[in-house]
Amino acid sequence: MTLRATALFLLSASLLASCTTRTQPAPGTDTEFGRLSTLKPGEQDSIRTRLKVNVVFVGYREALPGQVQTAQNVNTRDFRDTLPKSYETIARIPSAYGNTEYTGNVFDYDYNYVFADQKFEDDFFGYLSQNATEKPLTVYQKYFNCQFVTETDEETGEEYQVPTDKCEAPSPLINRPVEKNFEIDALATENWLADNVSRVGVKPGEYTIYLVNWYSRPDFKFHSYTRADAADTDTGTRFGARASRRLIAWGGSVRQGAAPQRVWFYDLSANPDPWTDAWDVTNFDSTGDGEPDYRMPPIWEYGTRKASVAYGRKVSVDLARVVRYTALNLLFTPSPIYRVALTPPRMPEEIELDVRVEQGEGARDPGTLLNRALLQSRVSVLQPFAKFSTNVRQTALDGDLADVYNCFFPVEAEDICSPDFADFSGEELFQFGVRELRESYRAAGDKYLLPIYAFNDASDSQGGLLGIAYDDGQTGTQSFVYSFLTPSLINPGGYGFTDTTVHEVGHHLSLSHPHDGYDSEEDLSYGSSGFFRFVDSGDQSATIMSYNDLSRTFGQFNLDAQYRYLTAAYLNNTNAILEIARRAGKVQGVQGAARSADALFAQAEREYTAMNYFRAAELGHQGYRAVLDAATTAGVQVQAYKWYENLTGLSTQTVKAQPRISKDHLPKKGAWIMPEETPEQRARRLAE
């Protein structure tokens, strides 16, 4: 073939290839609305993404091939055998009513295991040493040193064990007593680790767990982490100064003006941890629920031959469990408790915090206990594309309201007000609220009213419950937010209304506690009891959803999760509206908006994959609004779900399939509604 013929052949082939490319159909699926690449009218879809999780070992030594793994060595095989391959989030409370409700968020994990080098460890532990301030031993460190003594009930003669902080010599059941206590600021430590992630080969903004062990080094100091200045918004009570709030972990803080900080550290060489009862290596059931507790003892207890909870334990396996059941399931990629959509398929654009302060005669001035401006500004980040307002009304806690309030806290088990209903103590208060809510909606227009009852009782009428975010009792849809104060909860408890109400509204808008959750691969609900007692370490993170009162706002992990939920909710509610439009015969009026929204959702999914979750939700909202507005203009009726208009009786005589409601935090197969608080948790929350 001549040179000229060869050139002509190549030119022809090039033109043919070019023509072939232009005639290939665009990626996607043909629908009545046109060719769509992202939207799937009428379908429930999921955003599936690969998520990198970095596990960085600082101060731990790897068990090398052929070596015997000691109790304090780390073997990454233990992590590979323990950690999940994926996670699919569900709306936990709606799912407890029968059918599992998926949120549309699926993660496939990519794990990156890193052992920090000597220079990094020297610098980090040098930083801790330089910023450590010596303080007296806390009562829990003394408890660890002494463990328990036997006492006798004078009336029954029964013997029982009580912890003691006074002993002539350390307990023979511990390997080494805590000799000193150097306190280190937890937030400053988190920031140092976040600022130095590139030194361990991690990109800033990636989910990163630092597993820390200072104990093996000659410069080790017995230490604990603190958030010493953390105080209640209303009363100024410094919860961070309490011994029960000494930490071994922290992370998830939002740094203003900085990129997202997705770091959490966990240090078994600190304290021992009071929040998970790790100081107790003697009692196998610290929560009193009848099941042995699995707690993570301090690192120096691993490898013991003594008859304690640490006997026969390997730290490598335990750290893997912490990564899975605390960091992944409860902090990084948790399942929400409620639907983030609130009123599907038409999600609200205006939300009013409808606060009713029910004031007991002689109770403290509620103006000193509730900061309405802070309440609104703090919760509005969870629905950033809705316009918020707040309405506060005060009425007397008397008459019929006092009667139904007292029913909520029955004095005796027989003292119930609704014996024929599944919710035998709360039904009367619930129905009282429903009547008021229906009346309020007559003037609300298109606003979503978020009903909040703040009961300011003048007497100590109940045992210490601060609040609860109720569901409707039929579909698992969020309903009322209740906040409670009594004189003893204010003083010495130290609580006001603002922080509790932010916490409970956080539940209403979807968020879960960082100490109870769901494992999707195992289809398992669990809280901090039994085998999962150690997951209370999730409270040691920057979130007002924890119980340790060390945060006033929602942290980075909360915001990431919420914006992911919103992105998927906008996607699936848009799919639903398109199907409603199709059934109404209004396809033509929505076609243009559908194609525009499809492009927006494609962009949203790219941002989601890049972990720009706020931007993903923002684009999702734009696509959702484009379709909703077009459908409304075309005359399509898109109704918001109103739970308060869809109630039937909850009579125990007619209810056939009751929700799965747990009275404890022990693990259970499937989705379960966990208790707001157990007696053991309440006692710890109120502890000094």
Side-chain angles (χ1 to χ4, degrees):
M1 184 180 289
T2 65
L3 183 60
R4 176 179 174 80
T6 302
L8 288 172
F9 173 81
L10 292 174
L11 176 60
S12 299
S14 175
L15 290 172
L16 180 60
S18 176
C19 291
T20 302
T21 301
R22 285 198 297 268
T23 59
Q24 286 181 341
T29 303
D30 288 322
T31 73
E32 294 182 46
F33 299 92
R35 192 165 188 83
L36 303 177
S37 64
T38 307
L39 290 170
K40 299 176 181 178
E43 294 186 28
Q44 171 75 16
D45 199 10
S46 294
I47 303 174
R48 188 166 201 134
T49 184
R50 300 206 68 82
L51 191 69
K52 184 179 180 182
V53 176
N54 303 290
V55 182
V56 181
F57 302 95
V58 184
Y60 287 103
R61 295 295 168 258
E62 185 176 12
L64 298 177
Q67 291 183 334
V68 175
Q69 182 179 342
T70 69
Q72 295 183 21
N73 284 157
V74 166
N75 189 332
T76 55
R77 184 185 60 198
D78 294 325
F79 287 77
R80 296 188 182 101
D81 291 345
T82 301
L83 299 187
K85 293 180 174 60
S86 64
Y87 190 98
E88 185 165 12
T89 61
I90 65 171
R92 291 168 52 203
I93 290 180
S95 296
Y97 280 79
N99 296 327
T100 301
E101 290 196 17
Y102 297 100
T103 68
N105 306 97
V106 185
F107 307 95
D108 295 309
Y109 298 119
D110 287 330
Y111 299 107
N112 175 40
Y113 303 104
V114 179
F115 286 83
D117 61 27
Q118 189 68 47
K119 182 65 168 63
F120 183 94
E121 290 182 352
D122 289 345
D123 289 350
F124 174 62
F125 292 121
Y127 171 84
L128 294 186
S129 185
Q130 292 169 11
N131 289 276
T133 302
E134 187 170 3
K135 299 284 187 179
L137 264 62
T138 70
V139 66
Y140 295 96
Q141 290 168 324
K142 294 177 182 178
Y143 283 165
F144 171 78
N145 289 347
C146 296
Q147 293 298 305
F148 291 82
V149 295
T150 302
E151 293 191 356
T152 303
D153 188 296
E154 294 182 357
E155 294 184 2
T156 66
E158 183 179 350
E159 292 185 343
Y160 57 95
Q161 297 283 304
V162 294
T164 180
D165 60 348
K166 296 177 177 63
C167 53
E168 294 182 2
S171 168
L173 292 175
I174 64 173
N175 274 341
R176 180 177 177 180
V178 177
E179 298 158 4
K180 293 184 178 182
N181 176 33
F182 287 88
E183 294 187 355
I184 306 165
D185 184 78
L187 176 58
T189 303
E190 175 199 351
N191 289 343
W192 192 97
L193 290 169
D195 290 341
N196 286 273
V197 290
S198 60
R199 294 178 57 185
V200 291
V202 172
K203 293 180 180 178
E206 292 179 343
Y207 285 108
T208 303
I209 304 154
Y210 282 97
L211 300 173
V212 175
N213 174 23
W214 194 359
Y215 183 70
S216 59
R217 291 172 56 94
D219 57 356
F220 170 71
K221 295 179 179 179
F222 284 103
H223 62 290
S224 57
Y225 298 96
T226 71
R227 298 288 291 116
D229 295 332
D232 184 87
T233 294
D234 304 312
T235 67
T237 301
R238 289 181 61 224
F239 288 105
R242 295 184 176 182
S244 59
R245 271 61 170 184
R246 294 298 179 269
L247 307 164
I248 69 166
W250 193 254
S253 301
V254 175
R255 294 175 82 171
Q256 297 301 325
Q261 183 161 294
R262 300 183 174 104
V263 164
W264 187 65
F265 72 84
Y266 182 83
D267 182 358
L268 279 181
S269 64
N271 259 320
D273 184 23
W275 203 246
T276 60
D277 293 333
W279 59 268
D280 176 2
V281 299
T282 305
N283 179 13
F284 284 79
D285 179 18
S286 70
T287 57
D289 56 21
E291 292 291 328
D293 296 332
Y294 202 92
R295 308 187 292 277
M296 305 310 180
I299 185 65
W300 56 85
E301 294 298 307
Y302 284 88
T304 183
R305 288 177 52 82
K306 298 183 178 181
S308 73
V309 298
Y311 175 71
R313 299 272 288 276
K314 282 188 168 68
V315 74
S316 183
V317 175
D318 283 358
L319 292 175
R321 288 170 176 160
V322 169
V323 171
R324 176 172 188 159
Y325 297 109
T326 304
L328 295 179
N329 291 352
L330 305 184
L331 300 180
F332 293 178
T333 54
S335 285
I337 61 169
Y338 285 124
R339 303 180 193 97
V340 74
L342 298 176
T343 58
R346 186 172 189 136
M347 298 166 66
E349 295 291 322
E350 291 186 66
I351 298 175
E352 180 176 291
L353 305 179
D354 186 21
V355 185
R356 299 168 188 260
V357 177
E358 311 299 355
Q359 182 73 2
E361 184 178 358
R364 181 166 164 175
D365 177 10
T368 66
L369 299 171
L370 178 65
N371 188 320
R372 59 186 291 173
L374 283 180
L375 168 63
Q376 179 175 313
S377 67
R378 288 174 179 172
V379 303
S380 61
V381 298
L382 299 183
Q383 285 279 347
F385 314 114
K387 179 182 178 182
F388 274 77
S389 60
T390 303
N391 180 32
V392 179
R393 288 170 283 179
Q394 181 176 324
T395 56
L397 182 55
D398 58 17
D400 292 342
L401 177 60
D403 290 340
V404 298
Y405 166 76
N406 290 328
C407 281
F408 196 80
F409 299 105
V411 177
E412 299 175 359
E414 298 79 21
D415 183 16
I416 56 177
C417 303
S418 305
D420 295 328
F421 287 79
D423 189 3
F424 60 85
S425 66
E427 182 68 17
E428 293 295 327
L429 180 59
F430 177 83
Q431 293 295 350
F432 184 95
V434 169
R435 290 190 293 271
E436 289 200 331
L437 186 61
R438 285 172 175 165
E439 187 64 31
S440 296
Y441 262 108
R442 294 178 188 231
D446 292 331
K447 286 181 183 178
Y448 176 82
L449 298 184
L450 201 163
I452 301 167
Y453 284 85
F455 293 95
N456 192 18
D457 199 341
S459 63
D460 287 323
S461 55
Q462 50 103 352
L465 180 65
L466 283 172
I468 190 168
Y470 243 47
D471 69 271
D472 67 347
Q474 290 190 189
T475 66
T477 300
Q478 52 268 69
S479 60
F480 297 107
V481 166
Y482 300 142
S483 294
F484 306 104
L485 278 182
T486 62
S488 62
L489 279 174
I490 299 171
N491 186 22
Y495 293 100
F497 275 131
T498 303
D499 296 335
T500 297
T501 307
V502 171
H503 173 107
E504 299 303 338
V505 171
H507 282 320
H508 185 99
L509 295 178
S510 89
L511 294 181
S512 181
H513 294 132
H515 56 250
D516 62 65
Y518 176 76
D519 186 290
S520 69
E521 282 193 352
E522 296 181 342
D523 188 27
L524 191 72
S525 295
Y526 62 93
S528 56
S529 285
F531 180 78
F532 296 101
R533 177 68 190 89
F534 61 91
V535 303
D536 258 336
S537 56
D539 275 355
Q540 299 178 44
S541 60
T543 172
I544 198 168
M545 301 310 295
S546 75
Y547 272 11
N548 58 19
D549 310 297
L550 299 180
S551 296
R552 312 269 75 83
T553 57
F554 301 102
Q556 188 62 53
F557 303 147
N558 296 144
L559 299 180
D560 284 353
Q562 185 76 359
Y563 299 153
R564 291 191 298 251
Y565 305 150
L566 281 170
T567 304
Y570 288 131
L571 173 69
N572 283 306
N573 283 281
T574 302
N575 285 336
I577 294 169
L578 288 175
E579 177 63 12
I580 293 170
R582 187 192 68 80
R583 295 186 183 188
K586 303 291 186 181
V587 169
Q588 187 172 359
V590 187
Q591 281 179 329
R595 290 193 292 270
S596 297
D598 188 63
L600 287 168
F601 278 110
Q603 186 180 351
E605 290 195 8
R606 289 192 292 272
E607 295 289 351
Y608 186 108
T609 300
M611 301 176 69
N612 299 322
Y613 298 123
F614 178 87
R615 179 57 178 158
E618 184 177 42
L619 290 164
H621 176 253
Q622 292 173 14
Y624 160 82
R625 282 302 313 184
V627 169
L628 176 61
D629 291 345
T632 303
T633 301
V636 180
Q637 296 296 313
V638 182
Q639 299 293 331
Y641 179 72
K642 300 177 181 178
W643 64 267
Y644 54 89
E645 291 183 354
N646 290 276
L647 295 175
T648 57
L650 289 180
S651 171
T652 55
Q653 306 303 315
T654 60
V655 172
K656 295 180 180 179
Q658 297 196 26
R660 294 186 291 265
I661 301 177
S662 177
K663 295 182 179 180
D664 54 46
H665 277 141
L666 293 172
K668 297 171 178 65
K669 291 295 281 187
W672 284 71
I673 301 173
M674 289 292 182
E676 175 67 23
E677 184 176 70
T678 64
E680 186 273 336
Q681 284 179 314
R682 182 176 301 174
R684 189 155 28 86
R685 175 171 56 77
L686 296 173
E688 289 296 324

